[in-house]
Amino acid sequence: MMDKKKVSITILATSDIHGNVLPIQYGDNREVHHGLAKVSTIIKAERKTSEHVILIDNGDLIQGTPLTFNYVHNKNNNENPMIKILNHLRYDAAVIGNHEFNYGLNVLHEAVGNSCFPWLSANIIDAEKNTPYFGQPYIIKMIEDVKLAILGVTTHFIPSWEEPSHIAGLKFIDTLNATKQWVSEIIAKENPDILIVSYHGGFERDLISGELTEEPTGENQGFQICKEVEGIHVLFTGHQHREISGMIDNTTVIQPGMNGANVGKVEITLTQDPGENHIDDISSEIISCESVLADNEIVELISEYERETQDWLDNFIGTVEGDMKIEDPLSVRLKDHPYIEFINKMQMEISGAEISCTSLFNNASIGFKEKITMRDVVSNYIYPNTLKVLKLKGEDIKKALELSATYFIVNNSKEIEVNPKFITPKPQHYNYDMWEGINYILDISKPIGSRVTKLEQNGEPLGMNFEYHVVMNNYRASGGGQYTMFKEREVVKEINQDVSELLASYIIERGIIKASLNHNWKVIS
């Protein structure tokens, strides 16, 4: 009779790397504690101490930094640096994330084609063939007669944000339904000892109480998956940039944050009996990269890409007359600021629209210094957005302003602060817009839905049934951020060039840009 045998399997997962490799902040090259160079150090250490290691990326890999931007726009005849690194680190699989589509299907096809590992997404479907677009919905790994299945799924909310040309010919099936279907099929066909789902999406409910933490749009279905899909041992998640390690019922759940700040680790131990394997234990943890040194092998691997990126970022493109620097992000969102006014006026001039809206994407934006470089442009305008001009009624604009006004609350000290819903579980500062071409006041002391106390254009009240041409980024124009009042509205004009490129060209053509303020809006309490 064979003796029982113990087998230990380690699964490591990254998610939402967003183009971060070196531990630097490109805005000023200061040191930070994230990036694939640090992740590599952890991976190598785990491979030295663990019996068997499986490595997964959970999506949003190829977009997000000047490194990836410069590669796509200036160096795309070479191998994608992110794929080069994952190939080098011998990843076993990757899942398609929503930001994989940001640079268009050609860039994504090339990245997938050059990968030495499969890209998984069972619910992104070829509309013509009605089969998974990226080929493999799942993979099987055999480790000492232990059969391990890994299914990849992606948030199906992508059409709500992405440029239609970037997802042409694709269907996005409801993630929960697709997961149910494929898990059932995998169990019936493969009978795996371990079933892992890697989901580029997050949790719509509190993991302990089960209370809703966001609008039930379907963007995040992790909690439902754990509750309604039988047979999943481990659910890797992402998209929300949270750090999560725990359990929902019988499913181990993990989410390793963003930018390569951490690595998610799941350890599974099994006992092998003759002809049968039993799971003894599943544990999970988040391994921080904070005190980890960067792997020089990875640094060297992308050294040419990095040198060319830094040279490009240091290109001087223009001068600011006045002050467009951002000192306090909250104050920028409370009253008109020269940087926001500049972005809006640039959008209006380029598009010909009479009204514009934009946001301050995150709290790391520093605005423009006196001498502007490409580094300043791409560090402030961090997304590869394009512009659209919509035909909106005045009532649409008012509804949008009321939605933006929910970004604020008044605290016990009668001070205005950011609504916690825009901070946790995921920072969403980009869902608060500031407008040009209209005059308005938001009074946060008023009840939600009635905070717009002034809304005028040229000294006259905005006509609720009048139509106006409004320019905004494509994410917002598609209804992203729950701005459903913009969905299905007529598109008057599309400008299919990255806003960061438009900004750079605009500054270069003029040489000098002037900081101005017309004080057309403010927030009060």
Side-chain angles (χ1 to χ4, degrees):
M1 180 181 291
M2 288 179 60
D3 291 334
K4 293 182 179 180
K5 182 181 179 182
K6 296 284 187 181
V7 177
S8 178
I9 300 172
T10 299
I11 303 105
L12 302 178
T14 52
S15 190
D16 299 272
I17 295 293
H18 286 291
N20 285 277
V21 178
L22 302 184
I24 59 171
Q25 168 59 253
Y26 279 100
D28 53 12
N29 280 338
R30 64 182 169 83
E31 183 181 4
V32 292
H33 301 296
H34 62 232
L36 275 175
K38 282 177 171 271
V39 166
S40 175
T41 301
I42 291 174
I43 292 169
K44 288 181 176 180
E46 288 293 328
R47 282 183 170 143
K48 285 181 180 179
T49 58
S50 301
E51 190 177 8
H52 304 287
V53 174
I54 292 173
L55 186 55
I56 304 168
D57 184 77
N58 191 53
D60 280 4
L61 171 75
I62 65 172
Q63 175 277 334
T65 59
L67 175 74
T68 57
F69 184 99
N70 185 52
Y71 161 74
V72 168
H73 290 84
N74 301 321
K75 292 290 294 179
N76 59 8
N77 57 319
N78 292 341
E79 183 182 4
N80 189 305
M82 307 309 293
I83 303 305
K84 188 171 186 176
I85 293 168
L86 264 62
N87 284 342
H88 177 80
L89 292 174
R90 307 194 313 277
Y91 270 70
D92 292 284
V95 175
I96 299 291
N98 54 295
H99 283 285
E100 255 67 74
F101 295 97
N102 285 173
Y103 294 136
L105 277 175
N106 288 341
V107 173
L108 179 52
H109 284 155
E110 187 173 349
V112 171
N114 289 333
S115 299
C116 298
F117 49 86
W119 286 78
L120 312 175
S121 188
N123 65 314
I124 300 179
I125 305 299
D126 186 312
E128 185 176 326
K129 299 177 182 177
N130 210 34
T131 56
Y133 184 82
F134 294 96
Q136 292 178 253
Y138 68 91
I139 59 171
I140 297 293
K141 304 290 288 187
M142 293 299 302
I143 298 173
E144 293 196 34
D145 295 326
V146 174
K147 181 183 274 193
L148 188 147
I150 303 170
L151 171 68
V153 287
T154 306
T155 177
H156 62 263
F157 216 60
I158 291 172
S160 298
W161 313 305
E162 191 53 73
E163 193 69 26
S165 63
H166 292 177
I167 53 174
L170 305 183
K171 289 194 302 183
F172 295 82
I173 306 301
D174 181 274
T175 310
L176 177 64
N177 294 338
T179 304
K180 287 179 179 178
Q181 173 197 332
W182 281 100
V183 165
S184 177
E185 186 170 325
I186 290 169
I187 291 173
K189 181 180 178 181
E190 306 287 357
N191 190 29
D193 299 299
I194 302 167
L195 178 51
I196 294 170
V197 174
S198 189
Y199 167 41
H200 189 81
F203 297 99
E204 73 282 27
R205 293 180 179 271
D206 182 89
L207 273 63
I208 298 173
S209 70
E211 293 182 6
L212 276 172
T213 54
E214 59 181 52
E215 292 295 320
T217 61
E219 178 180 348
N220 298 296
Q221 296 177 302
F223 193 87
Q224 271 187 291
I225 289 172
C226 291
K227 289 289 186 179
E228 298 183 27
V229 186
E230 294 284 340
I232 300 173
H233 295 106
V234 180
L235 178 68
F236 285 110
T237 62
H239 185 56
Q240 293 173 311
H241 301 174
R242 299 166 69 185
E243 297 176 15
I244 296 171
S245 175
M247 296 277 295
I248 298 178
D249 292 347
N250 296 318
T251 302
T252 298
V253 297
I254 195 162
Q255 188 172 145
M258 62 183 290
N259 296 344
N262 311 285
V263 177
K265 177 182 177 181
V266 171
E267 191 82 27
I268 304 175
T269 55
L270 304 93
T271 297
Q272 289 185 312
D273 282 334
E276 194 171 6
N277 299 314
H278 306 281
I279 295 176
D280 299 323
D281 183 59
I282 302 178
S283 62
S284 65
E285 65 175 306
I286 303 289
I287 304 175
S288 173
C289 290
E290 183 168 356
S291 59
V292 174
L293 295 176
D295 181 357
N296 285 328
E297 202 169 12
I298 300 301
V299 174
E300 183 58 33
L301 198 67
I302 65 153
S303 58
E304 181 183 348
Y305 297 88
E306 180 63 19
R307 178 181 55 78
E308 291 173 347
T309 298
Q310 292 290 347
D311 289 346
W312 171 69
L313 286 172
D314 286 333
N315 285 340
F316 170 75
I317 61 172
T319 302
V320 174
E321 187 178 294
D323 188 359
M324 285 193 193
K325 295 189 294 295
I326 293 172
E327 306 290 349
D328 176 18
L330 180 60
S331 68
V332 172
R333 299 183 178 108
L334 290 174
K335 60 182 178 181
D336 201 9
H337 185 277
Y339 171 78
I340 296 298
E341 184 163 303
F342 169 71
I343 299 296
N344 272 322
K345 285 186 172 179
M346 182 276 298
Q347 290 185 170
M348 293 164 70
E349 188 171 335
I350 287 174
S351 67
E354 59 188 311
I355 300 172
S356 173
C357 65
T358 191
S359 59
L360 184 66
F361 294 128
N362 60 37
N363 289 344
S365 295
I366 60 173
F368 289 154
K369 304 185 294 289
E370 181 184 359
K371 302 294 183 182
I372 309 173
T373 64
M374 279 303 303
R375 188 184 304 278
D376 300 314
V377 172
V378 299
S379 296
N380 283 285
Y381 209 99
I382 58 176
Y383 295 116
N385 290 332
T386 56
L387 294 178
K388 288 188 176 183
V389 178
L390 302 185
K391 184 182 287 186
L392 300 178
K393 289 186 176 181
E395 62 181 355
D396 296 323
I397 296 171
K398 187 173 188 293
K399 287 177 182 177
L401 285 167
E402 290 288 2
L403 181 57
S404 272
T406 65
Y407 178 80
F408 299 109
I409 60 170
V410 177
N411 62 25
N412 293 333
S413 301
K414 305 299 183 183
E415 297 172 330
I416 298 176
E417 63 181 34
V418 179
N419 187 334
K421 291 183 178 179
F422 285 80
I423 301 173
T424 58
K426 174 185 178 179
Q428 297 181 53
H429 301 295
Y430 50 80
N431 281 331
Y432 169 74
D433 289 336
M434 293 157 280
W435 294 65
E436 191 65 39
I438 55 176
N439 294 76
Y440 64 94
I441 294 174
L442 305 180
D443 186 346
I444 310 307
S445 69
K446 304 289 186 183
I448 286 176
S450 58
R451 291 177 165 180
V452 178
T453 58
K454 176 182 178 181
L455 181 54
E456 298 177 348
Q457 186 184 52
N458 299 324
E460 297 292 332
L462 210 65
M464 292 297 100
N465 291 313
F466 289 2
E467 292 181 331
Y468 303 89
H469 288 184
V470 182
V471 59
M472 62 188 71
N473 67 55
N474 62 295
Y475 170 77
R476 186 68 79 239
S478 67
Q482 308 299 315
Y483 284 78
T484 54
M485 69 291 297
F486 298 154
K487 253 186 162 180
E488 314 299 330
R489 293 298 184 263
E490 181 183 342
V491 178
V492 178
K493 183 187 292 186
E494 296 185 53
I495 303 173
N496 291 318
Q497 187 177 358
D498 283 358
V499 178
S500 53
E501 292 182 40
L502 293 171
L503 268 171
S505 298
Y506 186 91
I507 295 167
I508 290 168
E509 287 173 9
R510 286 153 184 77
I512 298 174
I513 57 172
K514 295 183 179 181
S516 64
L517 270 182
N518 57 17
H519 303 286
N520 66 300
W521 66 271
K522 62 182 176 180
V523 180
I524 63 174
S525 64

